[in-house]
């Protein structure tokens, strides 16, 4: 058994790399230096939060890959999706319509269980949604009640799931409020106990605001927000940074991104910014942005050339992003919409729909770490230790997948611990001794002394410690001395009557680990062998040639060898046993 700790009572020096640059709700304390394999304590110092993900490797440090998740029924094309997490389980809701004319809007729920690595089960919700041109979807929780909203040609539909997200919701068509021509993406959020929504309209080239008041059950009012740059907008992503709201909108005809800066409230009139085509946009359809430790990364779906584009904003969401094409593969076929990013225990997942191939796929960023991602529903940090030396990064993501997601990270130096191995637990014959060796003269043997080795001749747990200038490693071994002259306890009676009590004749082993060869033989009173085995766990069931033997006295003999300090000794013991029926 091994353990390690910091030897010199190193004073914790806390690094606030992200806090210096980005004000945020997520923050934690950790020591700047620990020893290899040392379990160290973390302290959450942030405010608020509903979910807390701890990651011990850079989020975007590995090459991503694409993976197919679900193929929709023949003739059905998926549109927008929304992922929610409830009671540790993940659900993905997707609206879909008929492939030919976009009619007969329906809703499907994919249940992933407690991990996005699981293969989901699908449930088509038997509801009448939007009859034609169904697009955007948003699922939100208000108090204990789950609500859903669908938007499409001429309709805003409200879904009431009640307190259980797996319920079949009741449906209320709110009608064509606010000149819904061909609305697409939809976002709804509670701000200061007031519910507000945003949606874009592809045909009207508009961005509009929904105001519900303090209850989502209210009839919302609609306000068109003035703009100059929207050109067939199809998708958007909202994010809150340092208390300020930003909305990024992709324009499929204009091949551009428009950013709306709302300031500290979604009820404000925003400032509009045209980011242009960035030299690479080709009929963009949707985008998603993820923040992790002072890095804002966006991922954009290009319909025109079936590509996924990475937008690297670095540490400032208002930067013009650097561009990188992540994929140009045949498996993208009219990519339509993308979800927020969510963690499994081994990766970060973004889900997106393909209309022409009728499927749901995911963009996956593996997390290369021996420590699984741990997403918790409370702010108490998990126990962490690193098994390799060097500089390691530790990330905290609070409220993954939400527009208010925040992050903190720290670098921790992992110092090497000395290698110490004094052997595995062992059994030794009485009358001998065992030499425990570490290979290092500086080894401290508990209650014995200092040196490379010690000799022991009594049963017990022996502990050793070895230190370098920073760290100490501990190891221990359990040694048990056995009477090798009496390795077996032999019963003198057995009763093979099928009651599962004493039905077999076999020895009780006292020093099994020392036995190298073994043979049990049983003879009747005339010297005929009636049973033999070399299996320590096999006994005689009282049968001779598959027939039950009558009551009698039988002679047994055991031949075995034991290893005593490397010397193999042959031993024999014998006696008699009575069979009783």
């Amino acid at each position: 058994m091994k353990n390690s700790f910091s030897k010199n009572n190193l004073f914790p020096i806390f690094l606030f790399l992200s806090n210096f640059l980005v004000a945020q709700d997520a923050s934690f304390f950790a020591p700047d230096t620990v020893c290899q394999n040392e379990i160290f304590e973390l302290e959450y110092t942030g405010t608020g939060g509903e979910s807390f993900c701890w990651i011990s490797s850079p989020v975007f440090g590995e090459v991503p890959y694409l993976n197919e998740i679900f193929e929709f029924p023949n003739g059905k094309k998926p549109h927008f999706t929304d992922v929610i997490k409830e009671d540790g389980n993940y659900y993905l809701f997707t609206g879909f319509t008929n492939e030919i004319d976009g009619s007969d809007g329906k809703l499907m729920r994919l249940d992933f269980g407690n991990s996005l690595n699981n293969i989901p089960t699908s449930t088509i919700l038997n509801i009448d949604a939007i009859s034609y041109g169904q697009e955007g979807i948003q699922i939100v929780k208000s108090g204990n009640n789950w609500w859903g909203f669908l938007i499409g040609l001429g309709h805003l539909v409200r879904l009431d799931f009640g307190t259980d997200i797996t319920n079949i919701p009741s449906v209320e068509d709110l009608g064509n409020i606010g000149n819904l021509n061909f609305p697409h993406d939809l976002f709804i959020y509670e701000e200061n106990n007031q519910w507000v929504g945003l949606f874009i309209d592809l045909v009207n080239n508009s961005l509009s605001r929904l105001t519900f008041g303090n209850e989502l059950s209210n009839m919302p009012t609609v306000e068109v927000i003035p703009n100059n740059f929207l050109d067939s907008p199809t998708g958007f992503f909202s994010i809150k940074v340092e208390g300020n709201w930003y909305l990024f909108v992709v324009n499929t005809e204009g091949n551009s991104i428009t950013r709306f800066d709302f300031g500290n409230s979604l009820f404000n009139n925003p400032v509009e910014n045209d980011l242009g085509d960035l030299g690479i946009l080709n009929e963009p359809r949707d985008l998603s942005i993820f923040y992790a430790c002072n890095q804002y990364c966006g991922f954009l779906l290009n319909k025109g050339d079936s590509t996924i584009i990475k937008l690297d904003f670095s540490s400032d969401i208002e930067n013009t992003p650097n561009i990188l094409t992540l994929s140009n593969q045949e498996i993208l076929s009219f990519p339509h919409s993308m979800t927020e990013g969510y963690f499994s225990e081994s990766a970060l997942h973004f889900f997106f729909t393909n209309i022409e191939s009728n499927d749901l796929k995911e963009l996956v960023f593996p997390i290369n770490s021996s420590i699984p991602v741990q997403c918790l529903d409370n702010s108490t940090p998990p126990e962490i230790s690193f098994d390799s030396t060097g500089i390691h990064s530790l990330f905290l993501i609070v409220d993954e997948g939400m527009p208010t997601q925040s992050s903190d990270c720290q670098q921790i130096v992992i110092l090497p611990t000395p290698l110490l191995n004094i052997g595995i637990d062992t059994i030794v014959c009485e009358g001998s001794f065992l030499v425990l060796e570490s290979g290092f003269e500086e080894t401290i043997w508990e209650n014995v002394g200092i040196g490379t080795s010690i000799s022991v001749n009594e049963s017990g747990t022996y502990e050793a410690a070895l230190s370098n200038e920073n760290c100490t490693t501990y190891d221990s071994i359990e040694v048990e001395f056995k009477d090798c002259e009496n390795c077996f306890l032999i019963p003198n009676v057995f009763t093979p009557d099928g009651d599962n009590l004493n039905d077999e004749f076999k020895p009780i082993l006292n020093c099994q680990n020392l036995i190298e060869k073994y043979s049990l033989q049983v003879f009747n009173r005339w010297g005929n062998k009636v049973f033999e085995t070399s299996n320590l766990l096999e006994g005689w069931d009282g049968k001779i040639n598959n027939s039950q033997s009558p009551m009698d006295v039988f002679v047994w003999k055991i031949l075995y060898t034991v290893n005593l300090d490397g010397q193999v000794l042959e031993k024999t013991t014998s006696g008699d046993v009575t069979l009783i029926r």
Side-chain angles (χ1 to χ4, degrees):
M1 181 180 66
K2 294 178 175 59
N3 199 356
S4 61
F5 77 107
S6 301
K7 175 184 176 184
N8 294 326
N9 296 321
L10 299 171
F11 290 100
I13 301 174
F14 301 105
L15 306 181
F16 303 100
L17 302 180
S18 57
N19 286 341
F20 283 133
L21 298 168
V22 182
Q24 53 192 343
D25 294 330
S27 63
F28 67 96
F29 287 162
D32 70 327
T33 304
V34 296
C35 292
Q36 184 181 7
N37 296 315
E38 175 188 358
I39 297 175
F40 57 91
E41 292 186 358
L42 304 170
E43 180 184 357
Y44 179 68
T45 57
T47 58
E50 296 180 7
S51 67
F52 305 83
C53 293
W54 299 87
I55 305 103
S56 59
S57 178
V59 175
F60 301 113
E62 298 297 314
V63 176
Y65 62 89
L66 300 179
N67 187 39
E68 182 170 326
I69 296 298
F70 185 80
E71 185 172 349
F72 284 80
N74 225 1
K76 303 297 182 183
K77 54 183 181 182
H79 292 271
F80 281 83
T81 61
D82 197 15
V83 177
I84 63 111
K85 185 179 181 182
E86 173 72 349
D87 293 332
N89 294 314
Y90 292 89
Y91 304 91
L92 186 146
F93 289 84
T94 303
F96 64 94
T97 62
N98 282 334
E99 185 175 16
I100 297 176
D101 59 4
S103 64
D104 192 26
K106 297 293 184 185
L107 187 62
M108 175 178 287
R109 187 186 75 239
L110 298 180
D111 299 0
F112 286 85
N114 61 2
S115 173
L116 291 173
N117 285 330
N118 294 335
I119 298 174
T121 59
S122 63
T123 302
I124 296 179
L125 306 185
N126 189 22
I127 62 172
D128 293 323
I130 296 177
S131 58
Y132 187 77
Q134 178 175 294
E135 289 288 342
I137 180 174
Q138 176 83 73
I139 309 292
V140 294
K141 191 175 187 180
S142 177
N144 293 320
N145 204 87
W146 284 98
W147 300 89
F149 291 87
L150 297 167
I151 201 166
L153 279 175
H155 295 271
L156 176 66
V157 170
R158 178 161 51 206
L159 310 175
D160 185 353
F161 292 88
T163 58
D164 189 344
I165 192 61
T166 63
N167 286 339
I168 302 298
S170 61
V171 180
E172 181 183 5
D173 190 346
L174 303 183
N176 189 353
I177 60 173
N179 188 26
L180 303 177
N181 202 329
F182 196 7
H184 268 54
D185 215 345
L186 175 67
F187 169 66
I188 296 174
Y189 184 76
E190 185 180 22
E191 181 181 304
N192 296 325
N193 298 317
Q194 299 292 307
W195 286 95
V196 58
L198 299 171
F199 67 88
I200 48 176
D201 195 299
L202 182 147
V203 174
N204 293 340
N205 292 323
S206 63
L207 170 66
S208 298
R209 179 163 40 222
L210 298 166
T211 302
F212 292 87
N214 60 1
E215 295 288 345
L216 283 173
S217 57
N218 294 335
M219 187 67 163
T221 60
V222 182
E223 173 192 3
V224 176
I225 298 173
N227 81 87
N228 296 307
F229 299 117
L230 296 186
D231 188 0
S232 300
T234 54
F236 62 42
F237 190 87
S238 58
I239 185 171
K240 191 176 186 182
V241 179
E242 294 185 309
N244 294 315
W245 283 97
Y246 298 86
L247 185 75
F248 290 80
V249 183
V250 295
N251 301 290
T252 191
E253 290 294 330
N255 289 324
S256 64
I257 297 177
T258 304
R259 191 188 75 225
F260 291 89
D261 301 355
F262 283 84
N264 62 2
S265 173
L266 292 171
F267 290 101
N268 293 337
N269 288 324
V271 176
E272 187 182 17
N273 300 272
D274 179 20
L275 303 187
D277 66 1
L278 303 177
I280 201 169
L281 301 190
N282 190 343
E283 297 182 61
R285 295 297 304 192
D286 201 9
L287 81 165
S288 184
I289 299 174
F290 195 90
Y291 174 67
C293 195
N294 203 32
Q295 182 183 17
Y296 295 91
C297 281
F299 304 95
L300 179 145
L301 300 174
N302 263 341
K303 173 192 172 186
D305 55 8
S306 294
T307 56
I308 298 178
I309 306 300
K310 179 182 178 182
L311 312 173
D312 188 350
F313 296 89
S314 187
S315 62
D316 190 343
I317 195 65
E318 295 186 11
N319 284 341
T320 299
N322 294 317
I323 303 300
L324 176 66
T325 300
L326 292 184
S327 67
N328 187 359
Q329 305 181 27
E330 294 180 359
I331 64 172
L332 273 70
S333 181
F334 193 164
H336 186 73
S337 69
M338 178 175 280
T339 69
E340 301 85 353
Y342 286 87
F343 285 104
S344 67
E345 58 272 22
S346 60
L348 177 64
H349 305 253
F350 297 85
F351 298 92
F352 63 94
T353 56
N354 285 285
I355 284 185
E356 290 182 356
S357 55
N358 302 333
D359 60 23
L360 175 75
K361 291 184 170 66
E362 63 176 343
L363 172 66
V364 182
F365 285 87
I367 304 297
N368 183 18
S369 173
S370 60
I371 305 173
V373 176
Q374 300 183 67
C375 289
L376 311 174
D377 59 5
N378 64 78
S379 61
T380 302
E383 291 185 338
I384 297 289
S385 67
F386 291 94
D387 59 9
S388 59
T389 60
I391 299 175
H392 289 259
S393 296
L394 188 60
F395 298 79
L396 169 63
I397 307 291
V398 175
D399 291 344
E400 59 166 341
M402 299 178 66
T404 53
Q405 174 180 302
S406 57
S407 175
D408 190 16
C409 69
Q410 296 187 34
Q411 288 186 324
I412 302 174
V413 178
I414 310 300
L415 299 175
T417 57
L419 298 177
L420 177 63
N421 186 349
I422 60 174
I424 61 174
D425 295 348
T426 188
I427 298 175
V428 185
C429 291
E430 289 181 350
S432 63
F433 63 91
L434 178 67
V435 176
L436 303 180
E437 295 187 272
S438 69
F440 300 95
E441 293 183 357
E442 302 84 5
T443 304
I444 300 174
W445 302 90
E446 186 179 24
N447 299 323
V448 177
I450 301 175
T452 303
S453 63
I454 61 171
S455 295
V456 299
N457 57 9
E458 294 181 355
S459 297
T461 300
Y462 294 87
E463 297 182 353
L466 183 63
S467 300
N468 57 25
E469 60 182 6
N470 294 305
C471 301
T472 298
T473 299
Y474 294 97
D475 195 14
S476 64
I477 182 174
E478 188 80 22
V479 180
E480 185 176 4
F481 284 84
K482 293 282 190 178
D483 181 3
C484 296
E485 297 296 330
N486 297 286
C487 270
F488 305 99
L489 299 176
I490 312 296
N492 56 15
V493 174
F494 77 114
T495 57
D497 53 10
D499 64 355
N500 294 322
L501 297 173
N502 200 27
D503 280 343
E504 287 187 333
F505 169 67
K506 61 181 178 181
I508 298 173
L509 305 177
N510 192 35
C511 49
Q512 178 178 349
N513 292 352
L514 298 175
I515 297 175
E516 295 193 345
K517 292 182 180 181
Y518 164 83
S519 173
L520 168 64
Q521 299 173 339
V522 181
F523 303 87
N524 62 18
R525 64 176 57 245
W526 294 281
N528 297 320
K529 187 189 300 181
V530 298
F531 176 77
E532 183 175 18
T533 183
S534 58
N535 185 346
L536 283 164
L537 302 179
E538 183 181 9
W540 181 40
D541 61 4
K543 293 182 179 180
I544 301 175
N545 296 326
N546 292 323
S547 297
Q548 292 184 352
S549 173
M551 294 195 310
D552 206 341
V553 176
F554 296 84
V555 174
W556 57 264
K557 182 168 68 171
I558 295 177
L559 299 91
Y560 65 101
T561 60
V562 294
N563 191 326
L564 184 59
D565 295 335
Q567 181 181 5
V568 177
L569 303 177
E570 295 184 357
K571 295 182 177 294
T572 302
T573 183
S574 61
D576 59 67
V577 61
T578 302
L579 188 158
I580 299 177
R581 294 192 184 277

